[in-house]
Amino acid sequence: DVKVTQSSRYLVKRTGEKVFLECVQDMDHENMFWYRQDPGLGLRLIYFSYDVKMKEKGDIPEGYSVSREKKERFSLILESASTNQTSMYLCASSPGLAGFYNEQFFGPGTRLTVL
Amino acid sequence: AQSVTQLDSQVPVFEEAPVELRCNYSSSVSVYLFWYVQYPNQGLQLLLKYLSGSTLVKGINGFEAEFNKSQTSFHLRKPSVHISDTAEYFCAVKITNRDDKIIFGKGTRLHILP
């Protein structure tokens, strides 16, 4: 089974702190994604990556950055956390264009609260 | 650009009754279509997908969906719901020959009433 793990289920940080959210997948997938999920807004794409050291902005990249130094790991960084970044963060991975199904596999999510 | 509309944000239904969750998409090119389910305090998992072929797609937990190209719809159905189906359901679309971004709908919360 594909497994996507996220470093924390719950996280509480203070305004202005630098926050790292880690995601690891064990299926050698090329693509990895970070979403945030807010009530009534569904999933919104923050950043995604097609390959190591590659990254592309999603729909709401402001206030976030990412790092992908190894194929299996994709980190989301909040440079200076703000209260409007309180949300559920979901990581996902999928096989590349050569893959047959293109479905995304999700981690359990990290619920981040910024005080 | 493609988009996904889930027409109902919440759907209450009695246990053992049938349910339909509606999804419409807009795209000028061919697409793949997905339904994902999110149980309380969990990530999303794939319920079913349409890639090509038969327009009636069967998924896990007794769910099925029908692709209707003329109406650009992909509604999700279950003939008899159980309390364990309480969850949020997301419809999603992906362009078949483009990059791997999937566009998600805003979700429909299914409430099962005893």
Side-chain angles (χ1 to χ4, degrees):
Chain A
D1 278 353
V2 175
K3 196 148 185 141
V4 180
T5 55
Q6 296 183 228
S7 51
S8 306
R9 291 299 303 272
Y10 300 93
L11 209 51
V12 179
K13 295 291 181 181
R14 296 208 175 275
T15 303
E17 280 192 79
K18 190 169 186 176
V19 181
F20 292 87
L21 303 182
E22 303 284 342
C23 175
V24 177
Q25 51 95 3
D26 66 358
M27 280 301 290
D28 203 36
H29 285 169
E30 286 76 16
N31 309 312
M32 296 188 75
F33 307 82
W34 275 107
Y35 296 90
R36 65 176 281 176
Q37 182 182 13
D38 300 288
L41 298 178
L43 274 71
R44 292 181 291 169
L45 183 64
I46 305 172
Y47 267 97
F48 59 103
S49 169
Y50 290 143
D51 201 351
V52 176
K53 296 195 187 294
M54 288 185 63
K55 59 185 179 185
E56 298 266 353
K57 291 181 180 178
D59 300 317
I60 52 163
E62 296 79 20
Y64 303 94
S65 62
V66 290
S67 171
R68 193 163 180 204
E69 296 295 319
K70 293 185 177 182
K71 192 175 185 180
E72 67 271 17
R73 188 180 298 269
F74 192 36
S75 303
L76 180 69
I77 304 155
L78 286 66
E79 295 290 343
S80 177
S82 65
T83 54
N84 62 13
Q85 292 178 309
T86 292
S87 186
M88 170 72 92
Y89 290 87
L90 293 168
C91 175
S93 71
S94 74
L97 283 174
F100 186 61
Y101 290 115
N102 292 305
E103 68 181 88
Q104 294 189 5
F105 297 85
F106 284 82
T110 295
R111 189 168 292 281
L112 172 67
T113 302
V114 182
L115 302 175
Chain B
Q2 70 272 29
S3 65
V4 179
T5 302
Q6 290 184 244
L7 295 160
D8 305 297
S9 59
Q10 298 195 57
V11 172
V13 62
F14 286 104
E15 197 168 11
E16 297 184 6
V19 69
E20 178 179 84
L21 305 183
R22 296 179 292 169
C23 173
N24 286 88
Y25 69 93
S26 65
S27 175
S28 58
V29 296
S30 60
V31 295
Y32 296 145
L33 294 157
F34 305 84
W35 275 99
Y36 284 82
V37 60
Q38 185 180 33
Y39 297 107
N41 299 314
Q42 295 185 27
L44 277 70
Q45 67 181 86
L46 185 69
L47 205 53
L48 49 77
K49 60 192 173 214
Y50 171 79
L51 304 180
S52 64
S54 172
T55 56
L56 184 62
V57 180
K58 293 192 184 296
I60 60 172
N61 301 339
F63 283 93
E64 63 182 32
E66 183 149 23
F67 170 55
N68 187 319
K69 189 174 181 179
S70 62
Q71 297 189 6
T72 59
S73 68
F74 191 54
H75 300 332
L76 181 70
R77 301 186 185 101
K78 186 169 182 178
S80 175
V81 295
H82 189 264
I83 195 76
S84 60
D85 294 322
T86 298
E88 190 157 19
Y89 293 80
F90 293 92
C91 183
V93 62
K94 183 196 168 305
I95 300 288
T96 57
N97 60 352
R98 283 259 305 272
D99 61 46
D100 272 321
K101 282 189 290 185
I102 290 178
I103 307 299
F104 287 87
K106 289 183 169 30
T108 297
R109 198 170 289 277
L110 180 60
H111 296 281
I112 309 298
L113 307 171

